[in-house]
Amino acid sequence: MVFSSLIFLYLFLPVCLLCYGLSPSLPVKNAVLMLFSLAFYAWGEPTYIILLLISVLMNYLFGLGIGKCQQTKKAGLSKVIMIISMIFNLGLLGVFKYSGFIVENLNLIPGVSLPIPHLTLPIGISFYTFQILSYIIDLYWEEIDVQRNPFHLLLYISMFPQLIAGPIVRYSSIADEIKNRKITIVDISEGLTRLMMGLGKKVILANHLSTIVDDFFGENIQLSVAGTWYAVIVYAMQIYFDFSGYSDMAIGMGRMFGFHFDENFRHPFLCKDISEFWQRWHISLGTFFRDYVLYIPIFGKRRKYGGLFLVWFCTGLWHGASWNYIIWGLYFGTFILIEQLIGKKRIKKIPLVLRHVYNKIVIIVGFGIFYFEDIGRLGSFFRNLVGLNGNALYDNVTELSVRNNLFLLIAAFACCFPLYEGVKMLRNRHASLVKVTNVLQAVWNAALLVVSSILLVDATNNPFLYFRF
Amino acid sequence: MLNEEIRKEQYSKDEDFSEEELERLQKRLEYYSEISKARAIRREAAACRMAESADASKKETAATDWYERIQSASEEDAELLIDDILKEIQSSSTAEEEASFAEEAETYEDTVVSHGKTAYVPEKKATETVPEKDPASSAVKPKKREAEQEQKRKPQKTAVSVQSQAPASSRLRTSGKAVKKLQKETNRQWKKEAGNYISGKMISANKKKAAIWNTAVSLTLLFGIAAGMVLLERPTISNEENRTLARMPVFSVDSYLSGEYTNGVSEYYNDTVPMRSTFKGMIQSIRKYMGLNNSSVIHGGVPVLQEEEPAVTTTTLPPVTTMLTQKTRTEGEETETTTTVTEAAEEEPEKEGEISNSILVVDNRGIMLFGGWEKMGEPYANILNRYKQDLPEVNVYSMVVPTVCSYYIPENLKHLVSSEKANIDYIGQCLENVTPVDVYSALEKHKDEPIYMRTDHHWAGLGAFYAAEAFSAEARVPFARIEEYEKHSKEGYVGTLYGYSNDIKLKENPEEFVWYTPKCNYTTTFISSDLSSQYETNFFANIDGWAPVSWYMVYMSGDDHIVHLETEVKNGRRLAVIKDSYGNALIPWLTSSFEEIYVIDMRYFGVNVISYMREKGITDLLFAMNSFSANGTNAQKMETIRVQP
């Protein structure tokens, strides 16, 4: 069940909110939320829910084990359990997500011919595996207390707002809120606002941008240079609104249930360099790798560069079992390495305009790599970008598409900037705006909900992009 | 103005300053900045005070009003205003409170001023920093004061002009500037802080109320719509789309485990929304007014059209781009105004059009816009050349049919399309040993006749006739006159372009669907695309009772099978036609020209086409398709069927 569907918005969510709201105490609320979350997952993955449950149960036991060892000061045993847990979790992810990819690549070696396993990828496995890992590792590092209530752990992992498309919520960030949280009317209001914002981003902007992308990047379509650039820029915006829209909805719904998730996107296209881009784009993933992978001591003296390479390899691979994602990750890693070698101080001396041009081109071309899973088509995309395919520089199809979608494109472009924050700042400075903005907020939310819902009636084009993750 | 003194002093002296003097000035600068800060603090205190008082008495509007006034006033006026306001507050609050506040404000000031005095004692201006104590003068008329200050400012202005002429010490100038800058910054800072403070108070006072309202509005909608979705009657069919909507699936353990059940329920819930048709209409207007075009289709792309239940159209819409809409005339008017329109057309009027939904509608004619450039046709030509290499003994012909946009687009909208002629000509140049058939000029000569459909993306039977005539001349085969055919027609035709564009003007102006059947004898066999089965049938389908949109399928009932015709002609010529749906209308016109005809749709052919043609002893191979197909994905499909096993 995707958030941007009528059955979710007008059946699942209202019923869930009603039950949650009518629950008299926090333990009951937790139970309601957990049951609805499991129902939510079972709706999309009727069989793989077993996998989720097993995974949570095993890690609950691993957690207890680590906790026990720490109490009795058996550091060695604690490490062993941690490593077993790693192998178990990453093993599951590897089997279900990467086995096909690994075997395909092994088969490229002459003489090797293994049957390719066809396992469908359980929805959200990449997200919840990482969430479990954050629990186990933090526990091993003694940064959190062991969770003795298996249902609390299950609630943390299965909580439906963040279950299938992130953000990757750390256990440490909501451990306290599971046991003790207050839900105020302000939380609900802010949560609803966030939910509508995300819904609008997804249904109004991303879904319509995706039709443009499909038209241009479909198979066997000859593109002009301008058309290629146009399409890949539109694609970058599509992914941003789709992904950040999902995160907004997750954060908003979390807030309505009283949880405060960390931000996942902070206007990434405003970045001044690539390093900053990744501090603004999919923050929960970036910080996850930074905290748990970057300092793995397996590269010895070359740890700095080795760690960097590993992080970006993993970042790429995490997005999908295909070479283009790995290239995509390493592509960004390369630019970040270059930026690190040049040094922050020296980069700051470069005129801002140049820095923006540089990073926008890198980011946009990066999205091209992200789009084309077929390496042949990726090559053709690169040639199209610079006109090496004998394609025209410019064609009127592109012009027409721009004209046809002008308002959409302008709106999408504008929404890449922190408009909402801008209005908030104005309001904070001018007391006369407070009341107006409060009214506008309510009206705007209602409008977003109504327009998005109507558009969803004709949902011929409502892609769910995270099935690969 | 704080730096007034510095300036005056600066110009009263010579350019040279001693170190002491500079030091003195520096101290003064510091002192002024302190003063400036003191003022800021005082004003901030005043603002806070105002806000608090406003909160207490629920006079938000008053506070806002004051705040706005202070914001818009100049620095001096602001201070006067604050004094005014303080008076006002004083009158509405207890004397005790006021006294404590006044004390507080003055303490701030005194501390700072006395600190400044130790560093440097200003000769005058003391009054400026001390609040007016006299009630009479504090009930100020700002305008009067402003006038006074304006006078004060005047000499200063001349001083500035002097400054620009006289070369003064640059260091001092910097000092002057620094004072000014500091002043400005402090000013901005206090304004911001005071604003933040008041807003903050307003926000927190309103926060809960706003949250309640926001929540109430959103949740009412969410629950209200949910109730409507659950309780209202759900439609089972869609008349507009001519299809049955999804049904609630039946539960079984198997269907649940496979995910079919849950998917089915989701689909049912999403598909059978109560008042679905109303919402569909609203979607069109939302997309239109918000500039969200769902089908900005590109060369090679195919807009998604819900398939009709009774007779599924397998003809694919060639790729397209934009649609402008023109105002409709009712049918009665149409005939009357025909002449006027023609006249107007000669004057080339600016046709009013609005871009909507990817198809241009002019004079109730839907036009798909061609967007390919010249060289885009090269792959098509190369594929044909390879066919010729594979079949050196066969005559290969290329017939790229231009579409409506070549002939019927008004002058002022011509920039919306690329030239199909240039593209077709370029293809002609790239062909090697393949004969191009010039359909472009053949059709151009007859463009005043109904050679294309108005509401459908296909050409009409008549257009195909002229094209076939041109082809027969190239192929040197006999060709029957149009009198050898029987004409049929059916009123009320609204073709695919309505479905693609949803432009109501097309629906309101149906046209006549005309087709011609040969009087000569021939047999038709339909062969399944994988050659597994075949049966003899009529070339022309009986379209009585079919939805108008699918009437073009009168020609060989669609595209998804191979069609084999045997005629009474005995000239040893066996023709294979590799075509898209445009080719369908062409076939009847060739029944007096070839002994046998094999019609192959490049999209539906399951075996290797080269060996198939060898096996059938083909002597002539015609590629017949519209320019969109030749430049798009369909061309690639011809390559697929050439190389596939």
Side-chain angles (χ1 to χ4, degrees), chain B residues 350-366:
Chain B
E350 290 281 301
K351 298 268 187 185
E352 277 179 40
E354 103 197 42
I355 296 185
S356 85
N357 252 16
S358 297
I359 293 169
L360 172 73
V361 180
V362 180
D363 293 339
N364 302 325
R365 177 191 285 283

Side-chain angles (χ1 to χ4, degrees), chain A residues 1 5-11 13-15 17-18 42-47 49 185-186 188-190 192-193 195-196 204-205 207-208 211-212 215-216 219-224 256 390-392 394-401 403-408 424-435 438 441-443 445-447 449-451 453-461, chain B residues 60 64 67-68 71 192 195-200 202-203 206-215 217-219 221-223 225-226 229-230 256-259 261-263 265-266 269-270 273 276 279-280 282-284 286-287 289-301 304 306 321-323 355-358 369-373 375-376 379 415-418 631-633 636:
Chain A
M1 208 180 330
S5 71
L6 295 174
I7 194 165
F8 177 81
L9 286 172
Y10 297 116
L11 194 63
L13 188 62
V15 175
L17 286 177
L18 206 63
W43 189 266
E45 291 290 5
T47 43
I49 185 156
I185 186 77
V186 176
I188 298 175
S189 163
E190 298 269 308
L192 280 166
T193 301
L195 173 67
M196 305 310 171
I204 302 174
L205 296 177
N207 283 358
H208 287 95
T211 58
I212 303 180
D215 288 344
F216 277 75
E219 297 237 5
N220 296 318
I221 289 171
Q222 290 235 18
L223 289 172
S224 65
M256 288 163 75
N391 51 343
Y394 174 83
D395 61 330
N396 53 10
V397 170
T398 307
E399 186 193 329
L400 271 166
S401 179
R403 287 168 58 146
N404 266 359
N405 297 290
L406 194 62
F407 292 117
L408 171 66
K424 249 187 171 170
M425 213 171 74
L426 269 183
R427 180 194 67 166
N428 288 350
R429 298 256 291 264
H430 301 273
S432 54
L433 291 177
V434 172
K435 281 206 160 167
N438 283 344
Q441 179 73 76
V443 174
N445 286 347
L449 179 63
V450 169
V451 170
S453 305
I454 293 175
L455 287 173
L456 279 176
V457 173
D458 186 24
T460 48
N461 193 49
Chain B
E60 286 161 358
T64 319
Y67 168 70
E68 286 295 313
Q71 284 287 62
K192 202 176 136 190
N196 282 349
Y197 187 86
I198 297 181
S199 296
M202 294 267 302
I203 291 167
N206 280 306
K207 196 164 196 169
K208 213 168 167 190
K209 209 163 78 184
I212 291 171
W213 274 103
N214 185 25
T215 311
V217 170
S218 292
L219 284 186
L221 271 174
L222 210 58
F223 283 98
I225 298 174
M229 295 260 286
V230 173
Y256 171 73
L257 288 180
S258 67
Y261 178 74
T262 52
N263 279 344
V265 174
S266 296
Y269 200 83
N270 287 353
V273 174
R276 180 186 162 85
F279 289 122
K280 285 283 242 186
M282 284 162 87
I283 290 169
Q284 287 311 322
I286 290 175
R287 293 223 164 105
Y289 292 114
M290 296 176 69
L292 304 172
N293 281 307
N294 206 20
S295 50
S296 65
V297 178
I298 300 304
H299 40 268
V304 184
Q306 303 279 13
T321 315
T322 288
M323 158 181 299
I355 296 185
S356 85
N357 252 16
S358 297
L369 303 175
F370 180 73
W373 57 88
K375 289 194 174 170
M376 211 162 136
H415 64 276
L416 293 174
V417 290
S418 307
N631 288 289
T633 46
Q636 302 298 326

Side-chain angles (χ1 to χ4, degrees), chain B residues 79-219:
Chain B
E79 225 166 301
L80 297 174
L81 266 171
I82 289 171
D83 289 337
D84 276 357
I85 293 161
L86 286 177
K87 280 278 163 232
E88 211 170 306
I89 293 170
Q90 200 172 18
S91 66
S92 65
S93 59
T94 65
E96 226 173 285
E97 278 175 351
E98 180 51 35
S100 72
F101 166 67
E103 203 181 318
E104 192 186 339
E106 265 174 54
T107 332
Y108 272 129
E109 209 168 315
D110 286 347
T111 339
V112 178
V113 172
S114 58
H115 166 73
K117 267 176 188 165
T118 55
Y120 171 78
V121 186
E123 295 96 315
K124 47 172 191 169
K125 289 279 173 183
T127 48
E128 197 185 302
T129 53
V130 179
E132 287 287 346
K133 293 269 156 66
D134 181 12
S137 63
S138 67
V140 221
K141 292 179 175 63
K143 276 187 182 172
K144 194 182 158 196
R145 291 291 286 257
E146 211 175 304
E148 281 174 26
Q149 266 156 13
E150 192 57 40
Q151 279 183 337
K152 277 189 198 165
R153 256 178 240 141
K154 269 175 189 165
Q156 189 202 334
K157 271 183 188 167
T158 49
V160 172
S161 62
V162 170
Q163 180 194 24
S164 60
Q165 285 159 12
S169 156
S170 64
R171 284 169 78 182
L172 251 186
R173 201 152 44 204
T174 344
S175 300
K177 271 183 189 164
V179 171
K180 209 170 178 184
K181 201 178 156 194
L182 191 74
Q183 223 175 346
K184 237 180 179 174
E185 255 167 31
T186 331
N187 209 18
R188 205 182 298 142
Q189 191 64 27
W190 95 261
K191 271 191 180 183
K192 202 176 136 190
E193 277 167 21
N196 282 349
Y197 187 86
I198 297 181
S199 296
K201 284 272 172 192
M202 294 267 302
I203 291 167
S204 56
N206 280 306
K207 196 164 196 169
K208 213 168 167 190
K209 209 163 78 184
I212 291 171
W213 274 103
N214 185 25
T215 311
V217 170
S218 292
L219 284 186

Side-chain angles (χ1 to χ4, degrees), chain B residues 324-330 333 351-354 361-365 503 505 508-509:
Chain B
L324 305 199
T325 327
Q326 234 224 338
K327 294 210 167 108
T328 349
R329 279 174 233 101
T330 61
E333 279 171 340
K351 298 268 187 185
E352 277 179 40
E354 103 197 42
V361 180
V362 180
D363 293 339
N364 302 325
R365 177 191 285 283
D503 191 317
K505 279 102 189 174
E508 284 169 352
N509 292 281

Side-chain angles (χ1 to χ4, degrees), chain B residues 22 29 45-47 83 97 144 147 174 176 226 258 293 307 354 403 440 489 545 581 584 611 620 625:
Chain B
L22 275 174
L29 192 69
D83 289 337
E97 278 175 351
K144 194 182 158 196
T174 344
S258 67
N293 281 307
E307 291 188 340
E354 103 197 42
T403 62
Y440 189 94
S489 74
S581 60
N584 301 10
S611 44
D620 297 84
M625 65 202 69

Side-chain angles (χ1 to χ4, degrees), chain B residues 393-552:
Chain B
E393 69 291 349
V394 173
N395 305 316
V396 182
Y397 309 90
S398 159
M399 179 195 285
V400 180
V401 185
T403 62
V404 179
C405 67
S406 278
Y407 305 115
Y408 300 102
I409 199 157
E411 200 62 38
N412 64 310
L413 298 173
K414 273 215 165 126
H415 64 276
L416 293 174
V417 290
S418 307
S419 166
E420 287 185 306
K421 185 167 179 8
N423 179 275
I424 294 168
D425 288 350
Y426 186 78
I427 289 174
Q429 288 167 28
C430 298
L431 293 173
E432 289 158 15
N433 301 322
V434 177
T435 319
V437 181
D438 182 12
V439 189
Y440 189 94
S441 29
L443 289 174
E444 193 171 31
K445 278 181 227 153
H446 299 281
K447 69 177 187 186
D448 296 333
E449 298 167 40
I451 52 174
Y452 286 95
M453 245 88 81
R454 269 195 301 108
T455 62
D456 195 82
H457 68 277
H458 293 107
W459 53 355
L462 191 61
F465 170 76
Y466 293 118
E469 193 177 28
F471 167 61
S472 66
E474 289 286 355
R476 295 168 209 279
V477 286
F479 190 71
R481 289 171 306 130
I482 200 160
E483 287 77 24
E484 305 289 324
Y485 292 80
E486 197 180 325
K487 183 178 174 180
H488 308 262
S489 74
K490 225 166 147 64
E491 285 291 346
Y493 181 60
V494 178
T496 51
L497 290 180
Y498 168 63
Y500 297 136
S501 69
N502 266 311
D503 191 317
I504 196 72
K505 279 102 189 174
L506 293 179
K507 195 179 187 182
E508 284 169 352
N509 292 281
E511 60 187 321
E512 187 183 18
F513 185 81
V514 180
W515 72 103
Y516 298 83
T517 54
K519 289 174 185 165
C520 63
N521 290 323
Y522 61 96
T523 58
T524 310
T525 312
F526 284 4
I527 307 166
S528 65
S529 59
D530 57 357
L531 308 182
S532 61
S533 65
Q534 61 176 66
Y535 60 98
E536 209 175 300
T537 180
N538 282 329
F539 183 86
F540 294 96
N542 180 7
I543 57 171
D544 288 339
W546 285 18
V549 69
S550 48
W551 288 355
Y552 187 79

